[in-house]
Amino acid sequence: MTQQGVAIAPDFDWKRLQNGSDIRGVALEGVPGESVNLTADVVEQLGRAFATWLGKTTSKAVSDLTIAVGRDSRLSGLTLIEAAIAGLSGEGCRVYNFGMASTPAMFVSTVAPGFECDGAIMLTASHLPFNRNGLKFFTAQGGLEKSNIREILSLAESQGGQVSAQSPADSGEVTERDFMAVYTDRLVQMIRDGVDAPGDRDRPLAGLKIVVDAGNGAGGFYASQVLEPLGANTTGSQFLDPDGTFPNHVPNPENAEAMASLRQAVKAHQADFGIIFDTDVDRSAAVDGDGNDLNRNRLIALMAAIVLREHPGSTIVTDSITSDGLATFIDSDLKGQHHRFRRGYKNVINEAKRLNESGQESWLAIETSGHAAMRENYFLDDGAYLISKVLVEVAKAKLAGRSLTDLIANLQEPVESREFRLKLSAADFASYGTTIIDKLKLFAESQPNWAVVPNNYEGVRVACSSAAENGWFLLRLSLHDPVMPLNVETNVAGGVAEITARLHDFLQAFEALDSSSLA
């Protein structure tokens, strides 16, 4: 890595680094068949490109920009954060180095009084394996969009052989700042205000035993900097220390092994509540005191109950694979409006923003993955903020002598639920997959007891009404990969097998689609 600019191979494929609205790549050797493409030089160049892009966007001189940088616990994080800082400061930006941080905190630095950074970069690849890393970019308007990432990559490519215009003497100032203390104080105050406990208002979680599982990611701060100052007993918390090898389990609230580990910890320590975060803390899930998972549809239902009590009748935007029982719970039991949209947390968030702009009130955008964004919190997908909202309800329930899960007592959950990932081998897999979806719509319409669900925004969703099936399925294209995810849910035992058997008979005619897992 050089002091002024970097030299990247002329044929380097910058576009391969784009992963929707993020940048992701292989940062370390160690996985067969995966060669490193996210080097320190590449990240330095991306820092320079972000500074250039941000200067144009804000109409500010690059030397007048203040940009914050943080990282999660990945092994490559320290090297890559230094590279990003070198690129930014080399362009003359003022840089705040937050060190270990969370993705939501990086956004908050753009709006927090006393900071109000022009932009922020988080070095993370969420829950992906140890050898991966990436960059997420923020301004005060939120996370960048796909089109912005394309612009930054284009700038990085065009600037690849150039030398920074700044001399070493003109490099921007780099300052280490403890922003996590600012971010966590915000959460602490929010919980205190939300519970407003009689007596010891400063310690509204006193008497509660809460287990935190950070999966050796960046979320260990939540136990010591949020829960303990509020009076909670965090005995039994696990994997709080950052370790980029992720030796205990995948830091992912969707991972069955991770959720099982949290359930075991809650039961072993007779805790009232358990919390789990992904690596960079933009996603979360929970386990109640009885050892029941609060993730996916159950977490959405719980948050919908909280939000619709505060904002009656508003719209809850979810991704495409949420259950029929959840829709009924939101629409009928909670008297809200369920708007099932597309997969992808940015898709869900942007749809909620669009609805508000059109005059249709929406206060929650949430995916089954654990990404959740609230209008009251800048529509930022913030796992720590989400779980803090839930903890307010946990504390209130304890004071009232009731259970948190009373809020979702009427939620009907499926008897069976499966996801199959059907691989596509066609060169133009997107076009091939679209053809399959179009033909499946026609096939479903011809089948007895099958009906294509209207107002569906992704793939084809089919309601299956026979007594043996009694459920639904959704076939769609993956957002990024040559895969067609198939989600199937039913309200009867054996229903998944009934539905997939009929689907296999249809799908096996497509030679470039591997539907063998359905047989």
Side-chain angles (χ1 to χ4, degrees):
M1 190 167 61
T2 62
Q3 291 293 320
Q4 300 181 50
V6 294
I8 308 295
D11 60 348
F12 182 77
D13 189 355
W14 290 93
K15 294 182 178 65
R16 286 193 62 187
L17 294 176
Q18 181 160 9
N19 183 72
S21 56
D22 302 338
I23 283 173
R24 287 183 184 173
V26 178
L28 294 174
E29 302 284 358
V31 176
E34 295 190 4
S35 56
V36 172
N37 64 349
L38 194 67
T39 64
D41 284 349
V42 166
V43 171
E44 181 174 339
Q45 191 72 335
L46 289 168
R48 292 181 59 212
F50 180 55
T52 302
W53 178 87
L54 194 57
K56 292 179 179 178
T57 303
T58 60
S59 299
K60 280 188 173 183
V62 174
S63 58
D64 290 336
L65 296 174
T66 299
I67 300 177
V69 187
R71 65 179 179 91
D72 67 16
S73 61
R74 292 178 176 278
L75 298 175
S76 59
L78 187 57
T79 297
L80 296 189
I81 195 173
E82 290 176 350
I85 289 170
L88 294 168
S89 63
E91 291 298 303
C93 301
R94 180 186 303 109
V95 184
Y96 292 152
N97 181 357
F98 290 168
M100 189 75 65
S102 73
T103 290
M106 299 313 298
F107 164 78
V108 174
S109 73
T110 70
V111 295
F115 286 83
E116 295 167 332
C117 299
D118 298 290
I121 301 175
M122 177 69 177
L123 276 298
T124 182
S126 188
H127 62 280
L128 293 183
F130 78 95
N131 66 322
R132 306 294 184 91
N133 214 324
L135 294 86
K136 295 182 178 180
F137 302 92
F138 298 92
T139 69
Q141 285 69 52
L144 300 197
E145 302 292 338
K146 293 179 183 179
S147 59
N148 305 139
I149 300 300
R150 285 195 293 270
E151 292 174 38
I152 290 170
L153 287 170
S154 179
L155 282 167
E157 183 172 19
S158 66
Q159 293 176 308
Q162 299 176 18
V163 174
S164 170
Q166 300 289 333
S167 69
D170 293 328
S171 294
E173 179 184 8
V174 179
T175 308
E176 293 186 4
R177 301 290 299 271
D178 180 12
F179 186 74
M180 290 306 293
V182 177
Y183 171 78
T184 53
D185 182 64
R186 181 171 171 265
L187 297 177
V188 167
Q189 294 304 322
M190 185 262 278
I191 294 172
R192 284 176 177 155
D193 292 343
V195 179
D196 196 18
D200 192 353
R201 188 180 186 278
D202 286 345
R203 293 166 53 86
L205 303 185
L208 287 169
K209 181 179 284 188
I210 301 173
V211 168
V212 177
D213 184 330
N216 301 113
F221 70 86
Y222 198 82
S224 60
Q225 292 183 252
V226 179
L227 296 180
E228 291 172 11
L230 292 169
N233 179 346
T234 60
T235 301
S237 293
Q238 58 188 18
F239 319 139
L240 303 182
D241 294 334
D243 184 341
T245 65
F246 307 122
N248 295 292
H249 61 67
V250 176
N252 181 3
E254 284 192 290
N255 180 265
E257 181 185 351
M259 292 302 296
S261 180
L262 178 61
R263 284 196 303 273
Q264 182 180 6
V266 168
K267 291 177 181 178
H269 295 277
Q270 298 181 315
D272 299 290
F273 201 64
I275 298 164
I276 189 167
F277 296 113
D278 75 340
T279 318
D280 61 327
V281 202
D282 61 359
R283 293 187 295 138
S284 59
V287 168
D288 69 17
D290 295 322
N292 300 310
D293 290 353
L294 293 171
N295 63 349
R296 301 182 66 81
N297 286 292
R298 288 172 62 83
L299 182 61
I300 296 173
L302 182 61
M303 286 306 303
I306 293 169
V307 167
L308 287 168
R309 186 183 59 208
E310 298 173 354
H311 307 284
S314 67
T315 298
I316 309 296
V317 181
T318 74
D319 62 326
S320 61
I321 65 171
T322 48
S323 70
D324 289 344
L326 177 67
T328 299
F329 180 69
I330 292 173
D331 292 340
S332 300
D333 291 85
L334 300 180
K335 309 302 180 187
Q337 298 183 59
H338 178 221
H339 181 58
R340 187 187 288 124
F341 197 54
R342 293 197 292 265
R343 290 284 278 176
Y345 71 97
K346 288 291 288 184
N347 290 331
V348 174
I349 290 170
N350 287 342
E351 179 68 359
K353 290 179 178 178
R354 185 192 68 80
L355 291 176
N356 281 298
E357 290 168 0
S358 70
Q360 183 174 343
E361 187 178 84
S362 175
W363 286 83
L364 176 65
I366 183 166
E367 265 202 312
T368 49
S369 65
H371 278 289
M374 304 189 70
R375 179 174 165 180
E376 69 188 50
N377 188 40
Y378 305 97
F379 272 122
L380 169 67
D381 54 316
D382 184 342
Y385 189 93
L386 174 80
I387 218 69
S388 297
K389 287 285 288 189
V390 174
L391 283 176
V392 170
E393 296 304 316
V394 172
K396 286 182 174 180
K398 184 177 179 64
L399 288 170
R402 55 179 173 80
S403 169
L404 172 72
T405 50
D406 289 347
L407 290 173
I408 56 173
N410 293 333
L411 174 66
Q412 181 186 356
E413 300 186 72
V415 173
E416 294 182 345
S417 179
R418 287 282 306 276
E419 179 175 275
F420 304 86
R421 295 183 67 80
L422 312 181
K423 294 182 179 179
L424 288 162
S425 58
D428 186 356
F429 65 85
S431 177
Y432 193 86
T434 299
T435 299
I436 293 173
I437 289 169
D438 290 340
K439 291 186 176 181
L440 180 54
K441 289 177 183 177
L442 296 175
F443 174 74
E445 288 169 348
S446 71
Q447 294 297 295
N449 303 310
W450 280 15
V452 175
V453 176
N455 302 319
N456 181 62
Y457 295 89
E458 183 172 42
V460 55
R461 187 179 179 113
V462 175
C464 310
S465 60
S466 71
E469 296 174 340
N470 190 10
W472 59 270
F473 69 83
L474 174 73
L475 183 70
R476 61 185 176 87
L477 271 166
S478 170
L479 296 176
H480 309 295
D481 303 317
V483 171
M484 298 194 77
L486 171 67
N487 293 87
V488 188
E489 286 192 358
T490 76
N491 299 312
V492 293
V496 168
E498 292 285 340
I499 291 172
T500 54
R502 292 174 73 181
L503 274 171
H504 181 254
D505 290 342
F506 168 77
L507 294 174
Q508 65 181 344
F510 296 91
E511 295 181 357
L513 178 72
D514 182 2
S515 59
S516 59
S517 59
L518 305 182

